[in-house]
């Protein structure tokens, strides 16, 4: 079965690490989709779709839950790194 973001079955853009990091950083600043889209030179719909991919990847049904899940991942990584 093909992936959601690509005919070749590649992962959707939001799962690419650098793209996802930039998106998450702007979400964490509280930016709206339209402002994120302008900053990343994307369409608003692309930003919305990438947020949906991130939510699905983390099993979240809201942006708040996504933020919580990502924060928990960061905290776990810090603990694992000894920081």
């Amino acid at each position: 079965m093909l992936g959601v973001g690509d005919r070749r079955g590649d992962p959707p853009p939001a799962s690419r690490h650098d793209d996802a990091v930039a998106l998450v950083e702007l979400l964490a600043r509280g930016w709206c989709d339209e402002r994120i889209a302008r900053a990343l030179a994307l369409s608003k719909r692309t930003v919305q779709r990438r947020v949906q991919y991130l939510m699905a990847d983390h099993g979240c049904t809201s942006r708040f839950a996504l933020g919580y899940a990502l924060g928990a991942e960061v905290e776990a990584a810090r603990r694992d790194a000894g920081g």
Side-chain angles (χ1 to χ4, degrees), residues 9-81:
D10 293 337
S15 65
R16 295 184 194 140
H17 182 70
D18 292 341
D19 290 347
V21 168
L23 178 62
V24 168
E25 286 175 353
L26 298 177
L27 285 170
R29 291 180 189 177
W31 288 19
C32 67
D33 293 344
E34 189 173 322
R35 187 172 179 192
I36 294 170
R38 284 194 309 266
L40 298 179
L42 301 169
S43 73
K44 180 179 173 183
R45 181 65 189 122
T46 296
V47 169
Q48 292 169 336
R49 195 169 38 251
R50 290 182 181 186
V51 170
Q52 289 173 351
Y53 290 144
L54 285 170
M55 289 171 55
D57 287 346
H58 290 83
C60 300
T61 57
S62 71
R63 287 174 179 241
F64 180 84
L66 176 62
Y68 187 86
L70 292 171
E73 283 183 16
V74 168
E75 185 60 31
R78 285 184 186 148
R79 276 195 309 269
D80 292 346

